[in-house]
Amino acid sequence: MTKIATLEIDGNKYEFPIIKGTEDELGIDIKTLRADTGGVTTIDPGYKNTGSCESAITFLDGEKGILRYRGYSIEELAEKADFLEVCYLLIFGELPTSEQLEKFDKDIKEESQVDEDMKKILDGFPKSAHPMGVLSSLTSALIAFNPGSVDVDSEEAMYDAIVKILAKFPVLAAWTMRKKKSLPLDYGDNSLGYVENLHKMMFSKPNQSYEANKIVNDALDKLLILHADHEQNCSTSTVRIVGSSHAGLFASLSAGISALWGPLHGGANQAVIEMLEAIREDGGDTAKYIAKAKDKNDPFRLMGFGHRVYKNFDPRAKIIKKSAEEVLSDLGIEDPVLDIAKGLAEVALKDDYFVQRKLYPNVDFYSGIIYRALGIPTDMFTVMFALGRLPGWIAQWREMRLRKEPIGRPRQIYIGENHRKFTAITNR
Ligand code: SDX
């Protein structure tokens, strides 16, 4: 029996069906609102209460701290799966058989060359360029070298574009980092696994053989899994809305990278480490920074804290915090910044300001500590987030196209001038 929502305006009643998801979430279907009411619309800045789509990819429960990809818990996937398996799961909906995974891996490896002329575009950037701006540009530039990735209406064309970007994106990310360090650019080694090859492309030295480190690669694999998707967040919504105009996959991803760059979103992992470093240089005075975060007149925010959906804890932050402790101890690294982070969290989690506003450490609060331990430069942290989120963006874009969702075009309430006559400049 479909539940009904009733809206009353000026004594007129309007009824709208309530849809129920597989996790019992309820949504008022207002598809006919403007037609039924003669043009009344809704207003919801930041879409805090608005669902943009029905999706079968990721389920979040912000109250219970639940995160599942295609029904599998993030805790199980982080422990038992590898990143390429999770890419397949998110994009195609099922964990792959070994044959399916083998073919997926092979198809990706066959596409891991990037047109050498792309290096000329990379050469155009100053070394001071932020890696996220470079990566967004290179992702868009890839279209010129892969014109078949634009009009992907058939599932086959979609699959080709998907394996292409999964193959080339890590190369572009590694090139972006190495260019800033004036290191030679290479394509890694197709005999290695997906994440191991990413690490090799980023860190191999031209004058010595590459030694894989299992602790490092396992930590990287787990971090990429934890960042792989997160339902309709800012950058994913960007990928979906750009893709809804039938712009190609690479163009949609390029827009998503730019959205992720912002410090309120994926850029927070870089901002967290910069904040922790500033606190360390300031003598570790966490009380001072907690006070700044609470001061309405101070623009300072406790980066890595708070979340639009999670109001008890971010399950990813729990896993990453434990992994940070393990990786630093396995690698024999003493990083005072981890102690500052833990001290800051301890104080904030007892402080009324944060408790009342349900602000807890999010995915970005501890991740930078692991990236640092793995030798990744701070300004590359959000690129690492993008590498993890790539399969989620792809899965969401593919679902939107396969479901033939309409072009995204929100409405507004106009608050500007009413109609007025033009005044000649001589009379102004
Ligand atoms: C990601 O959406 C996703 O799923 C994103 C993500 C993903 O995987 O895709 O999880 C990744 O983006 C994680 C978030 C990374 N951002 C940060 O860590 C930046 C710091 N956090 C905030 O700026 C903020 O918490 C947001 C942006 C994350 C969420 O903002 P909301 O939901 O819009 O909440 P809000 O800004 O309306 O804040 C509510 C109150 C306000 O105070 P009051 O006006 O009620 O007095 O909480 C305060 C805010 O000032 N507040 C903070 C704070 N975050 C919120 N105060 C101090 N420090 C903070 N970090």
Side-chain angles (χ1 to χ4, degrees):
M1 166 77 171
T2 305
K3 291 182 194 285
I4 296 290
T6 305
L7 182 64
E8 183 170 341
I9 304 174
D10 298 337
N12 300 314
K13 286 185 193 286
Y14 306 93
E15 293 192 338
F16 300 97
I18 293 178
I19 62 167
K20 185 170 164 180
T22 49
E23 289 290 340
D24 298 332
E25 295 166 304
L26 298 179
I28 304 171
D29 179 346
I30 57 166
K31 277 200 281 289
T32 61
L33 173 67
R34 290 178 53 79
D36 294 357
T37 59
V40 173
T41 187
T42 59
I43 278 287
D44 187 20
Y47 310 113
K48 295 191 176 187
N49 306 283
T50 299
S52 60
C53 61
E54 294 171 78
S55 176
I57 298 170
T58 290
F59 173 67
L60 301 187
D61 181 315
E63 297 313 317
K64 298 181 190 139
I66 293 173
L67 170 56
R68 295 190 200 126
Y69 298 159
R70 300 284 189 179
Y72 295 95
S73 77
I74 194 66
E75 292 77 9
E76 273 218 284
L77 291 171
E79 255 336 284
K80 300 174 183 168
D82 72 27
F83 181 59
L84 199 60
E85 258 181 308
V86 170
C87 291
Y88 189 99
L89 170 68
L90 282 167
I91 296 167
F92 303 110
E94 296 296 337
L95 284 170
T97 62
S98 42
E99 294 75 23
Q100 287 167 330
L101 188 60
E102 215 170 290
K103 179 182 182 312
F104 192 49
D105 187 30
K106 178 175 158 297
D107 293 347
I108 289 168
K109 285 190 161 95
E110 277 168 11
E111 292 293 348
S112 55
Q113 284 277 94
V114 172
D115 193 296
E116 282 286 302
D117 285 344
M118 283 285 289
K119 291 179 182 173
K120 292 176 187 155
I121 300 171
L122 182 58
D123 285 343
F125 286 96
K127 283 196 173 42
S128 57
H130 193 285
M132 284 297 275
V134 175
L135 187 60
S136 174
S137 309
L138 293 180
T139 303
S140 191
L142 262 185
I143 302 167
F145 298 93
N146 299 276
S149 70
V150 184
D151 300 324
V152 282
D153 292 324
S154 74
E155 283 213 49
E156 294 69 32
M158 230 175 257
Y159 181 82
D160 290 345
I162 287 168
V163 292
K164 273 193 170 82
I165 194 67
L166 282 169
K168 300 176 196 300
F169 197 71
V171 179
L172 299 181
W175 284 7
T176 300
M177 183 177 105
R178 293 177 74 93
K179 186 73 196 166
K180 281 175 80 77
K181 295 173 157 215
S182 304
L183 285 170
L185 310 179
D186 77 2
Y187 289 97
D189 174 350
N190 269 351
S191 70
L192 300 176
Y194 189 85
V195 174
E196 193 177 355
N197 190 35
L198 165 67
H199 190 269
K200 181 177 191 303
M201 287 190 285
M202 290 174 75
F203 290 101
S204 66
K205 297 263 187 302
N207 52 1
Q208 63 193 42
S209 61
Y210 172 76
E211 290 293 312
N213 179 321
K214 189 172 178 330
I215 295 166
V216 169
N217 287 325
D218 287 352
L220 203 42
D221 198 286
K222 183 179 282 190
L223 276 170
L224 294 174
I225 289 173
L226 292 167
H227 286 81
D229 193 51
H230 215 239
E231 57 131 278
Q232 304 312 315
N233 59 81
C234 177
S235 53
T236 299
S237 299
T238 303
V239 170
R240 283 183 85 118
I241 202 163
V242 170
S244 73
S245 74
H246 287 198
L249 174 59
F250 298 3
S252 307
L253 293 171
S254 173
I257 295 165
S258 297
L260 186 72
W261 190 359
L264 294 187
H265 190 16
N269 57 16
Q270 174 177 343
V272 166
I273 288 294
E274 288 163 351
M275 171 185 77
L276 294 173
E277 279 290 6
I279 295 173
R280 186 166 71 120
E281 272 143 44
D282 200 0
D285 186 355
T286 47
K288 174 179 165 187
Y289 287 85
I290 292 276
K292 281 171 65 70
K294 292 161 61 174
D295 179 357
K296 284 298 160 207
N297 300 317
D298 189 326
F300 176 80
R301 283 202 158 188
L302 201 56
M303 301 312 278
F305 250 72
H307 198 276
R308 174 62 58 78
V309 176
Y310 290 124
K311 297 305 175 192
N312 273 317
F313 62 91
D314 182 334
R316 301 167 297 177
K318 275 191 166 182
I319 299 170
I320 294 175
K321 180 184 175 194
K322 183 167 170 282
S323 179
E325 287 157 350
E326 288 162 0
V327 168
L328 266 64
S329 117
D330 292 347
L331 295 177
I333 295 173
E334 283 286 315
D335 186 346
V337 150
L338 176 58
D339 297 332
I340 292 179
K342 291 201 278 192
L344 206 53
E346 205 177 313
V347 173
L349 292 173
K350 290 183 195 131
D351 184 298
D352 267 356
Y353 173 90
F354 295 90
V355 173
Q356 277 162 18
R357 292 168 179 77
K358 301 188 173 193
L359 304 176
Y360 297 82
N362 60 44
V363 67
D364 295 311
F365 191 66
Y366 296 104
S367 55
I369 290 160
I370 303 180
Y371 291 140
R372 235 155 87 105
L374 303 185
I376 294 167
T378 306
D379 66 2
M380 279 289 293
F381 287 5
T382 312
V383 168
M384 300 314 293
F385 193 142
L387 281 159
R389 188 52 53 89
L390 180 64
W393 284 334
I394 291 169
Q396 299 274 351
W397 184 92
R398 179 174 179 273
E399 179 182 71
M400 176 272 304
R401 288 298 301 270
L402 292 180
R403 285 172 55 94
K404 302 197 182 319
E405 302 274 349
I407 184 168
R409 203 265 183 236
R411 301 306 302 263
Q412 63 167 27
I413 293 294
Y414 176 71
I415 55 170
E417 295 287 343
N418 298 115
H419 183 229
R420 50 184 174 166
K421 287 285 183 203
F422 182 82
T423 316
I425 193 163
T426 46
N427 301 333
R428 287 178 214 157

